[in-house]
Amino acid sequence: MALPKSMRILGAVTIFIFCYMLLQIYKAPADLQAPSKESASKLQQWDHDPQLDPSGEPPEPLRRVEGDNYEPNNPNSARINATILSLVRNSEIDDLLKSMRDLERTWNHKFNYPWTFFNDEPFTDEFKKRTRAATKAEVRYELVPKEHWAIPSWINMDLFRESVSLLEEQEVQYMSKVSYHQMCRWNSGMFSEHPALANTQYYWRVEPNVHFFCDIDYDVFRWMQDHNKTYGFNINIHDSPESVATLWPETQKFMEDHKDYIHPNNARQWLEDSEKRPENFKKANGYSTCHFWSNFEIGDLSFWRSKKYRDYFDHLDRAGGFFYERWGDAPVHSVALGLFEDKSKIHWFRDIGYQHIPFFNCPNNPKCSGCVTGRFTDGEQWLNREDCRPLWFKYVGMD
């Protein structure tokens, strides 16, 4: 039975349209076709989803072990002037050893960089014995000077107690722990002034009970030096806005008097983004609360010793926010780096798998084991919104 004329016409039109579309696809210019590998990589980079980004090693040169060039007792070692450092209590020995064993297994057993431990009390013999047994590298034990740890004379303790009461009502963690405030202040501005580090240039900060998941077979410190990097981070998150409510206003006061300190290639947009977490931006008075989570940081001490940073830290210290609020070293370091340093000198170590509860950096890399690729948190799903890396990639890119 013949099809009706109307259906034959409809079928012919459908076939014509299909053939026409095929022709246009084949004739399409290159920029409308599937992207090249390079273009696809760029598209992925700016997708603002760090979980999708496959991790690889940083660009060459990569200094690796060759023969005995990194043996612990080699007087002509390829090691540079750097140390792994940790501010740690005697009571944290078990958790510290977890961190040491992970970093030694994944990296330092090859390169044998010294460990430097700081404490506001003398280390016990047990602490020294057990930490020395965890590494072939040199281990140093240093006491924090009392003047570095003491509450500054200009802090009004009555005002501090009132602030504690107020911010505890706002659920600001650790607000009542004086030692936590002292630790934040020391990590912000005093650690780089310790006499034991006077001749040290680079450091890798490691805290108790953190984990490292990936085999790293190049000298991280020499990579920083070879590529003229100031700071390396791993996790980048939002802070509690209640804990830093006056940090940005005080920073703005400082900038008004030191306009020449602002680097022309800064990351200020990352610090002032108001779209992702508008509630944070409002409560923190113009600060996005994005910061590098400084329980992992690899840095050049020259920056923290520079006049611009010393002046900035002194300004903040006199303002009292380390005690009247809960300014942490993470936002203080991050704001300073975002304003005063060339953002191209700040590097995301995406190839270093890392965990500090509750957050992960777990690369898509066959050299990693023990973590789930792309996983950001082991807590509730709402914690994923704390990830500030997409904003860093948006304004700075993926170094």
Side-chain angles (χ1 to χ4, degrees):
M1 179 179 176
L3 291 172
K5 184 177 179 180
S6 59
M7 292 188 66
R8 292 200 302 271
I9 293 172
L10 180 60
V13 170
T14 301
I15 293 171
F16 174 78
I17 292 172
F18 177 74
C19 293
Y20 177 79
M21 291 179 67
L22 279 178
L23 179 63
Q24 295 306 307
I25 290 171
Y26 281 111
K27 290 171 62 180
D31 61 350
L32 294 179
Q33 295 178 17
S36 65
K37 288 184 178 179
E38 181 180 1
S39 299
S41 176
K42 289 181 180 178
L43 287 171
Q44 186 181 52
Q45 170 176 332
W46 289 104
D47 192 35
H48 299 168
D49 188 350
Q51 312 302 355
L52 299 179
D53 186 71
S55 289
E57 293 176 340
E60 296 284 351
L62 297 174
R63 314 284 186 160
R64 293 187 166 95
V65 173
E66 296 177 1
D68 67 349
N69 65 333
Y70 282 98
E71 283 300 301
N73 298 317
N74 184 351
N76 300 311
S77 166
R79 282 184 295 276
I80 61 172
N81 194 5
T83 190
I84 307 165
L85 66 81
S86 184
L87 176 66
V88 58
R89 300 182 184 94
N90 288 307
S91 60
E92 296 175 302
I93 179 62
D94 290 332
D95 283 342
L96 176 69
L97 287 172
K98 294 176 185 176
S99 305
M100 285 189 74
R101 288 166 183 154
D102 264 15
L103 191 57
E104 286 289 328
R105 173 180 52 81
T106 56
W107 182 71
N108 200 46
H109 79 276
K110 310 178 192 79
F111 299 98
N112 296 295
Y113 274 97
W115 288 81
T116 304
F117 297 117
F118 296 96
N119 193 348
D120 64 312
E121 298 178 352
F123 284 106
T124 63
D125 290 339
E126 180 195 5
F127 185 98
K128 293 177 180 179
K129 179 181 178 181
R130 295 178 68 187
T131 49
R132 284 194 181 111
T135 179
K136 297 180 297 180
E138 178 187 359
V139 187
R140 305 161 182 168
Y141 304 92
E142 304 293 343
L143 192 63
V144 175
K146 289 183 179 179
E147 62 272 21
H148 283 189
W149 197 255
I151 298 173
S153 60
W154 57 84
I155 297 299
N156 182 321
M157 294 308 294
D158 289 333
L159 180 56
F160 169 67
R161 285 186 281 271
E162 290 177 13
S163 299
V164 167
S165 177
L166 177 64
L167 292 183
E168 280 191 324
E169 289 179 5
Q170 299 178 41
E171 299 182 342
V172 174
Q173 284 186 311
Y174 313 123
M175 189 63 200
S176 64
K177 293 186 176 180
V178 174
S179 62
Y180 193 88
H181 295 267
Q182 292 169 305
M183 175 193 70
C184 290
R185 178 176 179 263
W186 190 81
N187 280 326
S188 294
M190 310 308 295
F191 87 100
S192 59
E193 307 305 295
H194 195 289
L197 298 176
N199 298 314
T200 302
Q201 183 176 2
Y202 295 98
Y203 70 97
W204 183 337
R205 178 172 157 184
V206 174
E207 292 197 354
N209 200 26
V210 300
H211 298 284
F212 298 91
F213 301 107
C214 306
D215 182 50
I216 305 298
D217 64 358
Y218 64 93
D219 185 337
V220 170
F221 292 126
R222 291 200 67 174
W223 188 88
M224 293 280 289
Q225 184 181 69
D226 289 341
H227 294 83
N228 193 26
K229 300 296 182 183
T230 297
Y231 189 84
F233 72 94
N234 190 277
I235 293 172
N236 178 341
I237 57 174
H238 286 281
D239 205 352
S240 160
E242 295 83 1
S243 69
V244 290
T246 64
L247 176 60
W248 192 247
E250 284 298 335
T251 299
Q252 289 177 310
K253 290 180 190 177
F254 180 80
M255 287 192 288
E256 193 62 31
D257 294 332
H258 298 87
K259 293 184 174 70
D260 56 319
Y261 283 7
I262 310 302
H263 198 284
N265 190 36
N266 61 65
R268 186 167 178 169
Q269 289 177 299
W270 169 67
L271 296 171
E272 293 185 307
D273 182 275
S274 62
E275 294 183 11
K276 186 178 180 188
R277 295 293 299 275
E279 70 279 17
N280 281 23
F281 181 84
K282 183 177 180 180
K283 292 177 182 178
N285 295 296
Y287 170 34
S288 68
T289 71
C290 285
H291 65 283
F292 308 121
W293 218 22
S294 58
N295 44 70
F296 176 112
E297 60 180 14
I298 300 172
D300 183 344
L301 286 162
S302 302
F303 181 81
W304 310 127
R305 294 169 179 152
S306 67
K307 179 171 171 47
K308 60 179 66 174
Y309 185 75
R310 298 317 307 169
D311 288 349
Y312 177 60
F313 172 75
D314 289 344
H315 174 90
L316 296 183
D317 203 19
R318 284 286 173 176
F322 292 110
F323 293 90
Y324 302 143
E325 291 182 355
R326 199 214 62 193
W327 296 352
D329 51 279
V332 170
H333 279 186
S334 302
V335 169
L337 287 160
L339 295 174
F340 310 138
E341 185 53 288
D342 183 339
K343 63 188 179 185
S344 70
K345 292 187 176 183
I346 301 171
H347 176 68
W348 176 37
F349 278 102
R350 57 181 173 173
D351 59 319
I352 300 180
Y354 176 73
Q355 180 201 22
H356 184 296
I357 296 171
F359 298 113
F360 288 83
N361 180 66
C362 192
N364 179 12
N365 192 318
K367 294 181 179 179
C368 304
S369 62
C371 66
V372 178
T373 297
R375 186 180 188 183
F376 179 65
T377 176
D378 61 0
E380 299 294 333
Q381 284 301 306
W382 67 266
L383 286 171
N384 285 313
R385 69 196 292 264
E386 301 303 319
D387 191 358
C388 248
R389 288 175 299 180
L391 290 180
W392 181 258
F393 306 147
K394 176 181 177 181
Y395 295 118
V396 181
M398 285 186 187
D399 176 20

